[in-house]
Amino acid sequence: MTFADYLHPVVGGLFLALWWVGGSLGLRARRARPGVRAQLLRRHEYLARLASAGLAVAFASGMVAVLFGREDLVVGSTTHFKVGSVLVLVAGLQWISSQQMHRPWVRSVHPWIGAFGMLLGVAHVFFGLQLTR
């Protein structure tokens, strides 16, 4: 087993957890008082950026783990990889939508994109556990 075999699930799990915490802060901010709302949204934005960057690192470490440590797998051949690819795309979509929060329709859609990403994260973990050896 290579270092990347351990790095990928640890980094991925950490950043998926950050995505969940960041998302919960964003949802709490919707009902908070104005002063508290601003603080929650700053923390939400920080954690979301960190989580999105970390998911990209986890994606890359998963590819490295397969390329150099898993002769039984081919990059891109598993459902885990496909769900992870969509998850990285959703993180990118979240970042793009966060740049347009001044638009009311984006402000209403943004949390649903994040919720979809959270569900994808659960599916990603599920399919990844099937690949453990």
Side-chain angles (χ1 to χ4, degrees), residues 39-100:
Q39 180 184 18
L40 289 172
L41 288 176
R42 279 193 301 274
R43 290 175 51 203
H44 165 74
E45 183 180 3
Y46 174 76
L47 289 179
R49 287 183 179 175
L50 188 61
S52 294
L55 288 175
V57 170
F59 183 81
S61 70
M63 290 188 3
V64 168
V66 169
L67 287 172
F68 297 107
R70 295 293 303 262
E71 295 81 23
D72 59 324
L73 297 176
V74 176
V75 172
S77 65
T78 64
T79 304
H80 179 69
F81 176 84
K82 293 169 187 163
V83 172
S85 298
V86 174
L87 186 57
V88 170
L89 290 174
V90 168
L93 186 57
Q94 279 292 87
W95 179 79
I96 291 168
S97 68
S98 73
Q99 305 305 304
Q100 299 295 319

Side-chain angles (χ1 to χ4, degrees), residues 25-44:
L25 290 172
L27 288 175
R28 284 179 37 206
R30 289 179 159 253
R31 295 185 181 190
R33 296 185 321 268
V36 175
R37 177 180 295 135
Q39 180 184 18
L40 289 172
L41 288 176
R42 279 193 301 274
R43 290 175 51 203
H44 165 74

